[in-house]
């Protein structure tokens, strides 16, 4: 095996020299590289899965069973694809979080933040389309929940859901649509955006590091490449092992007549499903997600009084504010969910939906955070970057709480156990 050839290929992606500061593990945690590696693993295992997968209503489920029981290492291959896909949602999210909190998204990196967000949406879309392919009960009904979420978008939602499904309900056309999106269109789009993303990292002069620190340059081949190889080996070993021990779920064949109870979306969409339980669909499937998306896309472009590129949490005070707002959001979101479920829903049952399922819960959520920010600003004169850090931390934490509640505390009929 010629390692030199591999090394030469890798060197096309890197400059000859990198700074010691930019390759410190606690700067990137290797997360961008891990995402790239996971995509390669998914592409290889995905292409191999195509050899036995049949994208028809009659054939899909049987082809997965055949793959698992008859094909040599078939089950293991499917498991690797399954676990890598879920891991990639997690590591892309962590990468987004690391880029944001290390303040590496401003000025010349702003465009790359946008490409990154598009990559994140693609990872979600990959998972969404892949989810249907096994054509078991889990796949059918989880995708039903998700396409219903799309339907709630005003004006265009119905047409979008119809275009996605290729029909009024999920059927063979949907399966073929998803299969083609998943195995041809999305991989090409992902490759294009990943290439642009890497190129923009190079164009920005590599990973952001704090200004004013003397940059010490070292040979990439001797410093960064061996570390990348080590991280890659650990990730591959972990995936191979986990896939040998645990199996990707496969329930009974999809049955459009029998809906499971509770019918839950995949874990990463559970926050959105939880929101649907509390708010009118116009708010939960459109207004709130739209506002959050616009906030994330606009983050690098607000007017900041000071930008500390590459400095974790902007400042020491920024770090404390992040911790405080996250803890507050964790406790308050949980309390609000309980309050909505046990008290307010019955108390507001006679009121119009836009009020009881929109204005009231939104105000109940926003006002305490506004009071928190107002109080902190009065005491400490917050900088813009710190202010947005409070908002982003609160939104991210609230989503995580909703995901956890929906996953672990909701049972039949999506009722709370607690
Ligand atoms: C899912 C596929 C993705 C891949 C393969 C990927 C890959 C990378 C790599 C290799 C780097 C340089 C090293 C590092 O930070 O680890 C990087 C940096 C960066 N990524 Fe990503 N990324 C992905 C998703 C995202 C997402 C979801 C975001 C955020 C919205 C993002 C925003 C950025 C930005 C702004 C930089 C520059 C950071 C800096 O200069 O310190 N990327 N990405
Ligand atoms: C070139 C790239 C890819 C190809 C050719 C491909 C192909 C396939 C095929 C044929 C299946 C059906 C087999 C099965 O369900 O077990 C599948 C399932 C799936 N794929 Fe992919 N895939 C690719 C990339 C990805 C990526 C990048 C992701 C996520 C980030 C992903 C996520 C999934 C998921 C979640 C499933 C369902 C797995 C399960 O059974 O639980 N795939 N893929």
């Amino acid at each position: 095996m010629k390692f030199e050839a591999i090394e030469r290929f890798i060197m096309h992606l890197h400059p000859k020299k990198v700074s010691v500061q930019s390759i410190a593990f606690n700067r990137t945690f290797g997360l961008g590289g891990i995402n790239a590696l996971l995509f390669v693993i998914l592409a290889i295992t995905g292409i191999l899965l195509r050899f036995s997968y049949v994208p028809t209503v009659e054939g899909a489920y049987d082809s997965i069973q055949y793959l698992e029981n008859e094909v040599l290492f078939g089950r293991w291959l499917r498991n690797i694809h399954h676990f890598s896909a879920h891991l990639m949602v997690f590591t892309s999210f962590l990468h987004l979080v690391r880029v944001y909190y290390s303040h590496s998204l401003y000025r010349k990196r702003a465009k790359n933040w946008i490409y990154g967000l598009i990559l994140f949406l693609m990872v979600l879309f990959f998972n969404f389309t892949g989810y249907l392919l096994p054509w078991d009960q889990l796949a059918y009904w989880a995708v039903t929940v998700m396409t219903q979420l799309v339907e709630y978008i005003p004006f265009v939602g119905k047409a979008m859901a119809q275009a996605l499904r290729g029909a009024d309900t999920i059927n063979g056309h949907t399966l073929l649509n998803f299969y083609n999106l998943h195995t041809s269109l999305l991989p090409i789009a992902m490759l294009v955006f990943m290439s642009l993303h890497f190129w923009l990292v190079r164009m920005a002069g590599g990973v952001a590091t704090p200004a004013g620190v003397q940059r010490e340059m070292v040979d990439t081949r001797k410093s960064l490449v061996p570390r990348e190889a080590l991280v890659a080996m650990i990730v591959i070993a972990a995936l191979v092992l986990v896939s040998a021990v645990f199996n990707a779920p496969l329930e009974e064949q999809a049955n459009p007549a029998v809906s499971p109870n509770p019918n839950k979306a995949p874990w990463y969409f559970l926050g959105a499903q939880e929101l649907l339980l509390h708010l009118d669909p116009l708010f939960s499937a459109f207004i709130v997600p739209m506002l959050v998306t616009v906030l994330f896309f606009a983050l690098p472009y607000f007017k900041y009084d000071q930008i500390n590129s590459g400095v974790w949490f902007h400042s020491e005070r920024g770090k404390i504010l992040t911790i405080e707002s996250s803890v507050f959001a964790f406790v308050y979101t949980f309390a609000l969910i309980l309050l909505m479920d046990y008290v307010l829903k019955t108390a507001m049952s006679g009121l119009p939906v836009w009020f009881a399922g929109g204005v009231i819960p939104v105000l109940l959520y926003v006002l305490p955070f506004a009071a928190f920010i107002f109080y902190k600003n009065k005491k400490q004169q917050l900088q813009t970057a710190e202010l947005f850090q409070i908002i982003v931390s609160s939104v991210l934490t609230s989503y995580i709480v909703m995901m956890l509640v929906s996953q672990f505390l909701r049972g039949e009929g999506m009722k709370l156990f607690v």
Side-chain angles (χ1 to χ4, degrees):
M1 182 77 152
K2 280 230 167 214
F3 285 114
E4 234 180 77
I6 300 175
E7 200 179 298
R8 234 181 286 137
F9 169 72
I10 291 174
M11 286 307 291
H12 275 94
L13 299 171
H14 294 307
K16 276 207 171 71
K17 286 192 179 279
V18 281
S19 76
V20 176
Q21 289 79 9
S22 70
I23 60 168
F25 185 67
N26 62 3
R27 175 120 306 262
T28 65
F29 303 97
L31 287 162
I34 293 176
N35 282 337
L37 171 72
L38 287 174
F39 180 71
V40 173
I41 296 174
L42 281 159
I44 296 172
T45 50
I47 289 168
L48 291 175
L49 285 170
R50 282 188 56 151
F51 280 88
S52 63
Y53 182 76
V54 180
T56 62
V57 169
E58 301 76 32
Y61 185 74
D62 288 348
S63 75
I64 300 272
Q65 277 197 324
Y66 177 78
L67 172 87
E68 291 205 331
N69 302 322
E70 309 292 333
V71 178
L72 188 65
F73 297 127
R75 188 187 293 265
W76 187 57
L77 183 71
R78 175 167 181 249
N79 291 348
I80 296 180
H81 197 78
H82 172 87
F83 290 116
S84 309
H86 287 260
L87 184 61
M88 197 172 175
V89 177
F90 189 57
T91 52
S92 307
F93 176 73
L94 288 185
H95 175 61
L96 182 156
V97 167
R98 108 76 193 144
V99 169
Y100 178 68
Y101 286 109
S102 64
H103 286 248
S104 311
L105 66 156
Y106 302 112
R107 300 196 180 111
K108 55 187 175 181
R109 294 183 175 82
K111 201 161 154 201
N112 216 11
W113 170 258
I114 304 294
Y115 281 113
L117 285 175
I118 294 172
L119 282 170
F120 187 59
L121 295 178
M122 280 186 189
V123 171
L124 292 180
F125 202 41
F126 251 118
N127 269 281
F128 172 57
T129 49
Y131 216 88
L132 183 68
L133 302 184
W135 202 252
D136 61 347
Q137 277 290 74
L138 192 69
Y140 185 90
W141 288 101
V143 173
T144 302
V145 175
M146 289 188 279
T147 46
Q148 276 165 358
L149 276 176
V150 175
E151 265 185 20
Y152 289 125
I153 299 174
F155 309 117
V156 290
K158 287 232 156 56
M160 272 170 72
Q162 180 90 12
L164 256 180
R165 286 192 297 245
D168 288 335
T169 53
I170 291 172
N171 63 13
H173 294 291
T174 323
L175 190 57
L176 199 57
N177 266 2
F178 277 35
Y179 176 71
N180 281 316
L181 284 169
H182 190 86
T183 64
S184 51
L185 212 63
L186 275 173
I188 295 171
M190 186 89 179
L191 270 179
V192 171
F193 276 86
M194 264 171 55
S195 311
L196 289 169
H197 193 62
F198 295 159
W199 183 65
L200 285 175
V201 174
R202 287 281 296 264
M203 285 292 113
V207 169
T209 51
V213 181
Q214 179 72 33
R215 280 161 71 101
E216 189 191 329
M217 304 306 277
V218 284
D219 187 346
T220 309
R221 239 177 242 246
K222 295 203 180 101
S223 52
L224 179 60
V225 176
R227 286 184 202 192
E228 283 179 332
L230 179 69
V231 172
M233 280 190 289
I234 294 172
V235 173
I236 294 171
L239 276 172
V240 161
L241 270 175
V242 168
S243 305
V245 179
F246 300 100
N247 284 327
L250 187 67
E251 294 186 359
E252 313 221 307
Q253 185 161 9
N255 182 354
V258 181
S259 155
N261 189 358
N263 184 17
K264 290 189 184 179
W267 60 271
Y268 38 85
F269 284 135
L270 277 179
Q273 200 183 353
E274 176 71 30
L275 209 57
L276 203 62
L277 296 175
H278 302 288
L279 298 183
D280 179 59
L282 177 67
F283 283 83
S284 53
F286 184 64
I287 296 178
V288 176
M290 246 355 211
L291 286 177
V292 174
T293 311
V294 169
L295 167 73
F296 275 80
F297 273 92
L299 272 177
Y301 301 106
F302 289 109
K303 202 164 179 302
Y304 291 94
D305 37 17
Q306 193 183 327
I307 288 175
N308 296 342
S309 274
V311 177
W312 281 100
F313 302 104
H314 182 74
S315 58
E316 205 38 51
R317 193 173 70 177
K319 187 168 151 187
I320 296 166
L321 286 167
T322 302
I323 297 172
E324 283 177 351
S325 48
S326 304
V327 172
F328 179 60
F330 197 93
V331 176
Y332 185 64
T333 310
F334 186 60
L336 194 57
I337 290 174
L338 296 183
L339 188 73
M340 284 295 292
D341 260 45
Y342 291 125
V343 185
L344 291 180
K345 246 182 222 151
T346 14
M348 297 192 297
S349 58
L351 299 174
V353 273
W354 62 269
F355 193 65
V359 177
I360 293 278
V362 169
L363 282 182
L364 274 178
Y365 179 76
V366 170
L367 286 179
F369 286 100
F372 177 80
I373 291 172
F374 183 75
Y375 169 73
K376 288 285 172 191
N377 194 33
K378 209 164 169 202
K379 243 178 67 177
Q380 313 182 335
Q381 278 290 309
L382 299 182
Q383 294 197 334
T384 328
E386 292 166 338
L387 177 91
F388 276 105
Q389 222 164 248
I390 295 178
I391 299 174
V392 169
S393 309
S394 311
V395 169
L396 291 180
T397 311
S398 293
Y399 191 83
I400 293 170
V401 172
M402 291 195 294
M403 233 167 70
L404 292 173
V405 167
S406 207
Q407 174 76 17
F408 297 111
L409 301 182
R410 290 203 182 271
E412 220 170 275
M414 292 302 273
K415 286 217 168 63
L416 282 176
F417 308 137
V418 287

